[in-house]
């Protein structure tokens, strides 16, 4: 079963017919059919063209394009069109434009400018969503709803008075009493004791560092406020069109929104992914966020936007070299996407995205881009049977948004160099290089299905989360600066690792961040003479005092000379520092747990291997041909070749082995 009633994988992109004449529409649908496009996203930014005055709807043009698309066998991911409030609404209600932390109200003239807490905005979006749903409920082209667009893009938060009121309501619901809030926020510090709810405000720009507990609650609130916008529309859609699945396009590993919570409100997860073609680590970063998308609902997801070639919003927008669009698209499918969708179908001639690539470029059909679009469409069709299949991972990386927000709170930590994305990648990259399937998981989920669980960092860790980790029967690895604070960002009594102390068998007496550019030697305890056990710590170290953990590695030289750096208690490993190379720790844990890569053999550099259902995806991101031993014979779905023993994969080529 796919995500929608469209059979096979979805192939298509954002389509903005309102930017083109109806003559061009006819050409578009013909070319879409030629490329094998079976789905397009329509009406994302169409509010001002659909509701031209309060309550005055003009669906005529959208009816015509939906009919035309349907006549050509193209399904529609229909946006509720609420992403950009129209000028008439903004001018009538200037208060719905967002205000930044310094108190400046932002102007109209871009997109996605709205205060998430504005009742006027929310009511207007719900009215439009209802009108759309009632109008299109029986349209045969409609296969999914696309609510808003990239929540958290451009507008992450709003600091206006309306938001302040909403924030107070949210705080009242969380704490009940001012006493509770004062205690959770630690307002005895710096003289912030509140005596009236009306004194509470968003963490606006202040003379110095703002209370980190206030900032943490603000992050929670801001994610919830946007989610409330999504949910208000979702409710109407579910009432009018209960059978049409609902999603909104996520933005990969986004700091601002708690996607565990968001995903629970969607029928399926969809994502917009824009790996930078100029970044050699792009495939690994993309794989990490794709695995997150697959893990959010533990089911297939949809790559709803990606760039056929260059984007237009980086300082330098490098195109994708021949073959890279295909390779990156197949990578998303390998990691669980049930489709390959782009921004956008036809390259714009005006506006901020006129230089953003498209499936059909300015140059038309006699272009490399168009030829690659056609070829990719054919490949996507060859992979139709992959739709709906799932991946089983034995390793999970823990990710918790609240902890992430606490870890990256401004101006209050021993070091601001610990960034969660980098920490996740430091573990993910070597796992990915070994062809090991990885899930992301929140620390409170049942983890018993995994053999290895790694918490790169769990700065904020509650007693319940610690108990969940303690109940995990497999191999657990915990990274530094974990178990430091509780849900209110207050340091656990006795200090780190707080509720993890018994599990790790140690306490952290002092945090010892390492200045930029300096390193700290670390030696594995068992055999200090072996070169392979000389490790390097950077950025972070800790003064550990052990209860009943034993030492796996110690610092050599420096302020912590001879003290424990890496420890073990039972099946739990703790790293008190950030190691440049995690290989020795990882290899040992994976061996002990019996976890191997999906091919069962070492992968050549640059080759990625993923299993999805009965299919083994082998993707060569490297610049040289690679020979990959195959775990079993099978047929390559992309070429129809029968393969045995091993396969040579050209640079930027891929094999999808069915066995
Ligand atoms: C996304 C957005 C699209 C388009 C695209 C360009 O953030 O949802 O509308 O702007 O980026 O890369």
């Amino acid at each position: 079963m796919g995500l929608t009633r469209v059979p096979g994988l979805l192939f298509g992109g954002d389509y903005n017919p309102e930017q083109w004449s109806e003559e061009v529409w006819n050409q578009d649908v013909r070319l879409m059919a030629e490329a094998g496009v079976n789905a397009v996203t329509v009406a994302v930014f169409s509010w001002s063209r659909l509701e031209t005055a309060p309550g005055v709807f003009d669906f005529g043009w959208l009816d015509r394009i939906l009919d035309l698309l349907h006549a050509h066998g193209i399904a529609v991911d229909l946006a509720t069109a609420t992403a950009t409030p129209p000028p008439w609404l903004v001018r009538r209600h200037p208060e719905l434009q967002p205000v930044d932390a310094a108190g400046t109200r932002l102007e109209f003239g871009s997109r996605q400018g709205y205060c998430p807490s504005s009742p006027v905005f929310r009511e207007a979006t719900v009215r439009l969503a209802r009108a759309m749903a009632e109008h299109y409920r029986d349209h045969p082209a409609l296969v999914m709803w696309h609510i808003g667009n990239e929540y958290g893009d451009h507008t992450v938060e709003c600091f206006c008075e309306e938001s302040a009121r909403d924030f107070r309501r949210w705080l009242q619901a969380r704490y009940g009493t001012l006493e509770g809030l004062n205690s959770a926020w630690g307002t005895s510090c710096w003289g912030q004791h509140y005596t009236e709810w009306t004194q509470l405000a968003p963490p606006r720009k202040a003379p110095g560092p703002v209370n980190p507990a206030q900032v943490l609650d603000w992050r929670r609130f801001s994610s919830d406020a946007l989610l409330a916008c999504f949910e208000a529309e979702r409710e109407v859609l579910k009432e009018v069109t209960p059978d049409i699945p609902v999603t909104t396009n996520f933005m990969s590993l986004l700091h601002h929104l708690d996607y565990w919570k968001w995903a629970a409100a969607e029928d399926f997860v969809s994502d917009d992914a824009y790996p930078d073609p100029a970044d050699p680590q792009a495939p690994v970063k993309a794989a990490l966020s794709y695995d997150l998308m697959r893990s959010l609902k533990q089911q297939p997801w949809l790559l709803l936007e990606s760039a056929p070639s260059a984007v237009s919003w980086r300082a330098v927008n490098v195109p994708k070299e021949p073959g890279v669009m295909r390779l990156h698209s197949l990578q998303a499918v390998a990691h669980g996407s049930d489709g390959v969708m782009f921004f956008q179908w036809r390259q714009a001639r005006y506006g901020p995205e006129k230089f953003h690539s498209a499936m059909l470029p300015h140059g038309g059909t006699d272009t490399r881009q168009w030829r690659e679009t056609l070829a990719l469409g054919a490949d996507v069709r060859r992979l139709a049977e992959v739709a709906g299949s799932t991946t089983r991972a034995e390793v999970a990386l823990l990710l918790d948004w609240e902890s992430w927000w606490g870890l990256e709170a401004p101006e209050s930590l021993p070091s601001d160099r610990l960034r969660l994305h980098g920490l996740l990648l430091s573990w993910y990259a070597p796992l990915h290089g070994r062809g090991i399937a990885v899930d992301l998981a929140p620390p409170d989920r049942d983890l018993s299905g995994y053999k290895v669980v790694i918490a790169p960092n769990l700065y904020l860790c509650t007693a319940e989360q610690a108990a969940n980790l303690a109940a995990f029967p497999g191999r657990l690895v915990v990274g530094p600066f974990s178990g430091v604070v509780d849900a209110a960002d207050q340091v656990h009594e006795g200090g780190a690792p707080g509720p993890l102390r018994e599990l790790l068998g140690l306490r952290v007496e002092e945090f010892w961040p390492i200045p930029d550019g300096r390193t700290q030697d670390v030696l594995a305890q068992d055999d200090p003479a072996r070169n392979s056990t000389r490790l390097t710590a950077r950025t972070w170290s800790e003064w550990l005092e052990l209860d009943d953990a034993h030492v796996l590695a110690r610092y050599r030289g420096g302020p912590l000379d001879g003290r424990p750096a890496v420890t073990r208690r039972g099946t739990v490993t703790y790293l008190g520092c950030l190691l440049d190379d995690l290989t020795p720790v990882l290899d040992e844990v994976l061996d002990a747990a019996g976890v191997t890569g999906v091919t069962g053999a070492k992968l050549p550099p640059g080759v990625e291997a993923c299993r999805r259902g009965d299919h083994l995806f082998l993707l060569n991101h490297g610049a040289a041909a690679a020979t990959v031993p195959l775990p079993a014979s099978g047929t390559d779905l992309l070429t129809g070749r029968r393969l045995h023993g091993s396969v040579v994969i050209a640079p930027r080529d891929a094999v999808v082995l069915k066995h």
Side-chain angles (χ1 to χ4, degrees):
M1 254 307 282
L3 302 172
T4 66
R5 58 167 197 268
V6 178
L9 299 173
L10 296 182
F11 182 61
D14 276 36
Y15 181 39
N16 293 301
E18 62 270 52
Q19 296 177 14
W20 304 97
S21 68
E22 300 205 13
E23 202 183 309
V24 175
W25 298 0
N26 287 309
Q27 193 190 45
D28 280 330
V29 288
R30 191 177 47 73
L31 290 173
M32 283 177 191
E34 191 183 328
V37 165
N38 59 7
V40 290
T41 301
V42 174
V44 177
F45 299 107
S46 305
W47 192 343
S48 64
R49 300 291 300 271
L50 289 172
E51 190 181 4
T52 50
V56 178
F57 296 102
D58 172 13
F59 291 120
W61 66 270
L62 191 54
D63 292 349
R64 290 198 293 286
I65 192 74
L66 257 59
D67 292 348
L68 191 62
L69 288 164
H70 180 63
H72 286 77
I74 298 159
V76 169
D77 162 34
L78 188 55
T80 53
T82 53
T84 302
W88 59 259
L89 182 59
V90 172
R91 294 307 178 219
R92 276 179 168 221
H93 294 282
E95 77 281 4
L96 69 70
Q97 288 288 96
V99 170
D100 70 11
T104 305
R105 193 175 290 284
L106 305 181
E107 240 304 347
F108 185 79
S110 179
R111 63 175 177 179
Q112 282 158 253
Y114 52 80
C115 162
S117 296
S118 159
V120 173
F121 174 70
R122 285 197 197 167
E123 277 160 30
T125 58
V126 167
R127 193 177 59 219
L128 179 58
R130 180 176 291 283
M132 293 284 283
E134 283 173 352
H135 191 84
Y136 291 108
R137 64 197 306 165
D138 297 320
H139 200 288
L142 172 65
V143 294
M144 60 189 266
W145 285 112
H146 176 114
I147 299 185
N149 190 63
E150 288 195 343
Y151 284 96
D153 185 29
H154 306 305
T155 299
V156 173
E157 58 200 346
C158 170
F159 294 84
C160 75
E161 260 318 296
E162 190 63 62
S163 297
R165 279 192 286 279
D166 201 18
F167 187 37
R168 281 175 212 132
R169 281 192 291 273
W170 186 94
L171 291 168
Q172 266 169 330
R174 184 173 174 89
Y175 296 109
T177 63
L178 265 183
E179 225 171 276
L181 177 135
N182 276 309
S183 149
W185 281 18
T187 54
S188 305
C189 175
W190 287 6
Q192 296 177 356
H193 191 80
Y194 293 98
T195 53
E196 299 279 351
W197 288 100
T198 48
Q199 294 160 359
L200 290 155
R204 297 183 176 122
K205 199 164 164 41
V210 175
N211 184 340
Q214 181 184 356
V215 175
L216 177 58
D217 271 343
W218 176 253
R219 291 261 67 85
R220 290 180 174 120
F221 160 77
S222 296
S223 175
D224 285 357
L226 282 170
L227 182 55
C229 295
F230 170 87
E231 283 179 326
E233 289 192 43
R234 178 185 189 278
E235 205 176 304
V236 169
L237 300 178
K238 283 293 161 195
E239 181 198 318
V240 183
T241 55
D243 299 330
I244 303 292
V246 162
T247 191
T248 184
N249 41 351
F250 285 171
M251 296 176 69
S252 302
L253 204 52
L254 184 72
H255 177 245
H256 298 295
L257 305 186
D258 182 345
Y259 280 158
W260 297 119
K261 257 189 170 181
W262 277 73
E266 296 188 300
D267 291 319
F268 64 83
V269 166
S270 56
D271 189 41
D272 296 351
Y274 290 97
D276 185 354
D279 176 1
Q281 244 206 324
V284 183
K285 292 177 181 165
L288 169 62
S289 64
Y290 298 159
D291 283 347
L292 170 64
M293 294 305 140
R294 192 193 62 236
S295 304
L296 285 171
K297 285 182 91 72
Q298 294 177 294
Q299 67 182 38
W301 55 282
L302 178 62
L303 177 69
L304 198 47
E305 282 185 29
S306 56
S309 188
V311 298
S312 53
W313 38 264
R314 292 195 173 99
V316 177
N317 298 300
V318 176
K320 291 182 176 169
E321 291 180 28
V324 173
M325 171 180 77
R326 171 180 185 262
L327 187 64
H328 285 186
S329 302
L330 296 177
Q331 185 190 23
V333 176
H335 286 267
S337 175
D338 266 1
V340 174
M341 308 274 289
F342 293 98
F343 180 86
Q344 59 179 333
W345 160 253
R346 182 185 275 275
Q347 191 168 24
R349 287 191 47 222
Y350 49 81
E353 297 184 309
K354 58 185 176 295
F355 298 118
H356 194 291
S357 59
M359 298 167 81
L360 177 61
H362 292 147
T365 51
D366 188 14
T367 53
R368 162 180 89 89
Q369 177 61 62
W370 178 248
R371 286 185 282 277
E372 290 199 31
T373 299
L374 289 181
L376 179 60
D379 279 335
V380 170
R381 280 196 298 284
R382 292 182 186 109
L383 299 184
E385 66 180 62
V386 173
S389 59
T390 52
T391 297
R392 222 187 82 68
E394 294 178 327
V395 177
L397 286 186
L398 298 188
L399 164 61
D400 179 66
W401 262 269
E402 300 198 355
S403 181
W404 187 0
W405 294 331
L407 179 71
E408 297 188 13
E411 303 180 288
S412 63
L413 297 163
S415 164
D416 68 3
R417 300 296 197 259
L418 299 185
R419 314 300 287 182
L420 193 74
H421 193 197
L423 298 178
L424 286 168
L425 263 181
S426 69
W427 289 99
Y428 185 82
L431 289 161
H432 177 260
R434 285 164 175 75
I436 291 173
V438 179
D439 276 353
L440 281 289
D444 22 35
R445 180 180 285 174
D446 172 15
L447 301 168
S448 57
Y450 298 107
K451 290 184 175 169
V452 174
V453 167
I454 302 172
N457 171 268
L458 219 46
Y459 164 72
L460 186 162
C461 181
T462 63
E464 296 72 36
Q465 291 168 337
N468 193 44
L469 296 188
F472 170 61
R475 312 260 149 187
L476 176 69
V477 180
V478 178
F481 203 44
S482 290
V484 182
V485 298
D486 63 15
D489 198 40
Q490 300 201 0
V491 173
H492 285 293
E493 234 168 277
L500 296 170
R501 177 165 176 178
E502 202 183 313
L503 183 63
L504 303 181
L506 54 80
R507 66 196 169 84
V508 183
E509 203 168 290
E510 286 179 77
F511 304 123
W512 216 287
I514 302 171
D516 293 347
R518 291 205 213 146
T519 56
Q520 165 69 56
D521 285 345
V522 174
L523 273 194
Q525 177 71 4
D526 52 352
D527 183 3
R530 271 173 43 200
N531 279 345
S532 60
T533 54
R534 284 176 69 102
L535 300 167
T536 303
R538 210 180 285 271
T539 309
W540 187 266
S541 58
E542 291 170 355
W543 181 304
L544 302 181
E545 290 291 342
L546 305 191
D547 298 330
D548 56 355
H550 68 268
V551 181
L552 294 184
R554 291 183 188 276
Y555 298 108
R556 199 169 81 156
L560 302 181
D561 186 33
R563 304 211 58 81
V566 181
T567 67
R568 165 84 41 86
R569 179 176 172 275
T571 50
V572 183
T573 308
Y574 181 68
L575 287 88
C577 56
L578 293 185
L579 293 173
D580 274 2
D581 179 11
L582 292 166
T583 308
V585 178
L586 201 54
D587 280 347
E588 199 259 341
V589 169
L590 295 170
D591 275 1
V595 174
T596 55
V598 293
T599 65
K602 196 168 161 8
L603 292 170
V607 172
E608 173 171 16
C610 302
R611 181 172 292 289
R612 208 185 145 180
D614 297 337
H615 303 93
L616 176 66
F617 284 73
L618 298 169
L619 308 154
N620 185 2
H621 296 280
T627 305
V628 186
L630 300 174
S633 318
T635 305
D636 175 15
L637 292 188
L638 295 169
T639 57
R641 280 179 303 169
R642 223 17 235 170
L643 299 173
H644 319 268
S646 67
V647 60
V648 178
I649 310 179
R652 305 211 176 99
D653 202 358
V655 162
V656 182
L657 195 72
K658 162 87 185 275
H659 47 207

